[in-house]
């Protein structure tokens, strides 16, 4: 595994251990927490920010949070690699940050509201940064939004295909 | 006694704050959005609420990845606008209402809602954009604000039903406060949007409008919508709409519709806005 972040958490975070079998509340269509978590992975092109991702991406997100301070933004802009070396991040995370590869950063446990500190420091809006994850140019993406956005048809469920 | 006299739902898209701050609200792009708030801006001048309980979510501003409160209530004297990476918005400080805030916090805990209590924090666009939408650009905000921050970022977020029940408990708490205060509750965020991954840009106007229909009258069907439905139908960030259910729950068994507005798009997001009053 190339991803060895600062935390000492195990690698198999994605799989609940199956001990929680009770209903998780009075509403919802989930029989238990394992089913609940499984459903969250069944949406095309989407990484729901689950506890497993939050654990995996903890230091990535805390790094991003540090860019809330202007003094840190200045140091980051001056030498990104040197700034990253102050954090306990895997090489994969560092490279994805240098590449501004936001889909990869989501896979590595990043959350978009934390990653926003990176793209706002670059002077990008949400729309500009978000478009980079879709395979469209900013112009194409904005045109899609102005025409009413992306339809949910066909992208609701991987298993269901609807 | 204090009373909840109205509920307001509104998106809190950061670009709306940019439009206000940079004087662009009458541009071609923004006019269809802001024109839908004109009714409310006039209405609220007449209503003169003393306090807004403002339900919103923090977007990695006051809370980092370390501490993740499900429900947090602000009991501070004042809150500064957060620097979210672009520099803080140049809007007035938000003035708190610690007496009522602490009263609600204590009442909720005894009512079995185990709140996190926040005395000092900066508030981000989730809280300041709705104030700008309803009040424009005043020298000082004309109301006191009790921030109520909800975790809608790290899963599991609270269920819609739990949010509704919290709203009911907030109403009980407000009505047990002796001072004669005009209190509104605002639920913010949404509507459909997804800010991440190849599926980003998702919008579902039909779903959003059905959700708004369900806030009016005696219906409580929205409280049983499971998380997966918000995610599939309204995008990964559409889950913010559970915060509107805290507002709806606080209005009691029946509501009357005063105003409603919907527009696509603003940036990546569908704009929704509704004004309701309790039927008592």
């Amino acid at each position: 595994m190339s991803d060895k972040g600062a935390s000492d958490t195990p690698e198999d975070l994605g799989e609940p251990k199956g001990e929680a079998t009770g209903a998780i509340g009075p509403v919802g269509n989930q029989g238990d927490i394992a089913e609940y978590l499984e459903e969250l992975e069944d949406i095309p092109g989407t990484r729901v920010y689950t506890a497993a991702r939050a654990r995996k991406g903890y230091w990535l997100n805390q790094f991003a949070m540090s860019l809330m301070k202007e003094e840190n933004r200045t140091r980051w802009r001056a030498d990104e690699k040197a700034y990253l070396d102050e954090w306990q991040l895997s090489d994969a995370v560092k490279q994805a940050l240098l590449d501004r590869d936001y889909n990869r950063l989501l896979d590595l446990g990043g959350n978009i509201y934390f990653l926003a500190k990176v793209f706002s420091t670059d002077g990008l809006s949400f729309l500009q940064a978000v478009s980079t994850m879709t395979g469209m140019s900013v112009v194409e993406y904005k045109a899609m939004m102005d025409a009413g956005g992306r339809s949910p048809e066909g992208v609701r469920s991987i298993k269901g295909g609807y | 006694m204090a009373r909840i006299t109205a509920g307001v739902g509104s998106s809190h898209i950061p670009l709306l704050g940019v439009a206000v701050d940079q004087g662009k609200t009458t541009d071609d792009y923004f006019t269809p959005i802001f024109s839908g708030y004109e009714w409310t801006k006039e209405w609220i001048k007449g209503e003169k609420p003393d306090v807004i309980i403002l339900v919103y979510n923090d977007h990695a501003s006051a809370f980092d990845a370390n501490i993740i409160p499900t429900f947090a209530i602000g009991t501070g004297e004042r809150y500064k606008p957060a620097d979210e990476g672009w520099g803080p918005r140049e809007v007035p400080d938000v003035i708190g209402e610690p007496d009522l805030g602490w009263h609600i916090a204590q009442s909720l805990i005894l009512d079995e809602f185990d709140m996190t209590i926040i005395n000092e924090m900066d508030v981000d666009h989730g809280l300041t954009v709705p104030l700008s939408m309803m009040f424009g650009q005043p020298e000082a905000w004309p109301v006191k604000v009790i921030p109520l921050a909800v975790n809608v970022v790290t899963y599991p977020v609270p269920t819609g039903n739990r949010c509704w029940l919290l709203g009911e408990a907030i109403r009980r708490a407000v009505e047990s406060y002796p001072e004669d205060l005009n209190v509104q509750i605002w639920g913010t965020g949404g509507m459909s949007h997804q800010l991440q991954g190849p599926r980003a840009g998702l919008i579902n106007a039909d779903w959003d409008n059905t959700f708004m229909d369900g806030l009016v009258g005696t219906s409580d069907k929205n409280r049983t919508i499971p998380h997966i439905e918000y995610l599939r139908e309204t995008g990964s960030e559409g889950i913010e709409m559970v915060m509107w259910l805290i507002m709806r729950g606080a209005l009691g068994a029946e509501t009357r519709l005063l105003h409603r507005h919907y527009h696509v798009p603003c940036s990546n997001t569908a704009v929704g806005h509704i004004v309701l009053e309790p039927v008592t």
Side-chain angles (χ1 to χ4, degrees), chain B residues 69-264:
Chain B
T70 297
F71 295 121
I73 185 166
T75 53
E77 298 277 355
R78 69 168 55 218
Y79 310 93
K80 290 198 170 299
D83 180 346
E84 301 179 54
W86 295 269
R89 288 190 68 203
E90 291 187 12
V91 293
D93 286 0
V94 173
I95 306 303
E97 220 301 5
D99 290 340
L100 179 58
W102 271 111
H103 171 82
I104 293 172
Q106 294 173 86
S107 302
L108 289 175
I109 291 165
L110 294 171
D111 207 354
E112 302 186 338
F113 282 87
D114 307 312
M115 305 297 290
T116 297
I117 292 159
I118 307 285
N119 290 295
E120 295 178 51
M121 67 172 167
D122 292 346
V123 289
D124 71 15
H125 68 268
L127 188 135
T128 62
V129 165
L131 289 172
S132 297
M133 298 308 288
M134 260 47 90
F135 296 118
Q137 293 179 289
E139 288 289 308
W141 299 119
V143 286
K144 294 179 175 176
V145 175
I146 298 173
L148 202 155
V150 181
N151 167 42
V152 290
V153 174
T154 307
Y155 279 74
V157 304
T159 65
N161 187 58
R162 188 65 175 160
C163 289
W164 187 293
L165 291 168
L166 175 62
E168 292 181 347
I170 288 170
R171 180 185 170 105
R172 290 191 288 272
V174 169
E175 290 183 348
S176 68
Y177 192 66
E179 194 178 339
D180 189 19
L181 292 176
N182 178 354
V183 180
Q184 292 186 359
I185 183 163
W186 295 3
T188 73
M191 297 189 83
S192 53
H193 64 306
Q194 174 152 339
L195 301 178
Q196 53 119 326
R199 188 177 178 253
L202 188 131
I203 298 284
N204 192 338
D206 289 345
W207 197 99
D208 289 343
N209 279 286
T210 301
F211 181 85
M212 284 209 277
D213 292 344
L215 299 171
V216 181
T218 55
S219 171
D220 68 348
K221 64 179 180 178
N222 282 341
R223 67 196 289 177
T224 58
I225 299 168
H227 292 157
I228 190 69
E229 182 175 335
Y230 289 98
L231 288 159
R232 290 196 202 282
E233 297 289 341
T234 76
S236 49
E237 278 63 49
I239 192 67
E240 290 178 350
M241 282 184 270
V242 296
M243 295 186 290
W244 292 39
L245 300 182
I246 297 175
M247 175 272 286
R248 175 61 191 85
L251 298 180
E254 184 176 359
T255 63
R256 183 181 298 117
L257 176 68
L258 298 181
H259 178 65
R260 179 169 168 170
H261 174 53
Y262 186 79
H263 176 80
V264 176

Side-chain angles (χ1 to χ4, degrees), chain A residues 34-139:
Chain A
E35 187 185 329
Y36 173 91
L37 293 172
E38 191 180 323
E39 278 191 317
L40 300 184
E41 304 303 320
D42 181 47
I43 305 172
T46 304
R47 286 84 155 178
V48 179
Y49 190 61
T50 54
R53 289 196 177 87
R55 289 178 67 181
K56 188 176 181 182
Y58 183 79
W59 287 109
L60 164 58
N61 290 318
Q62 293 297 68
F63 147 79
M65 198 75 191
S66 74
L67 300 179
M68 294 274 286
K69 291 194 170 70
E70 182 57 40
E71 65 197 69
N72 291 337
R73 291 196 286 264
T74 301
R75 291 175 48 232
W76 161 250
R77 286 191 191 101
D79 189 339
E80 294 188 359
K81 280 187 179 170
Y83 191 81
L84 287 173
D85 284 341
E86 297 172 19
W87 293 84
Q88 297 170 303
L89 298 169
S90 69
D91 289 344
V93 169
K94 288 180 187 175
Q95 194 58 50
L97 282 166
L98 293 172
D99 294 344
R100 305 298 195 268
D101 184 344
Y102 288 104
N103 278 327
R104 179 84 179 118
L105 289 166
L106 295 173
D107 285 336
L108 295 168
N111 172 270
I112 195 62
Y113 293 124
F114 289 86
L115 299 176
K117 318 310 177 197
V118 179
F119 65 70
S120 64
T121 300
D122 289 337
L124 295 186
S125 70
F126 264 97
L127 186 135
Q128 289 168 324
V130 167
S131 70
T132 69
M133 292 178 259
T134 63
M136 295 180 206
S137 69
V138 179
V139 172

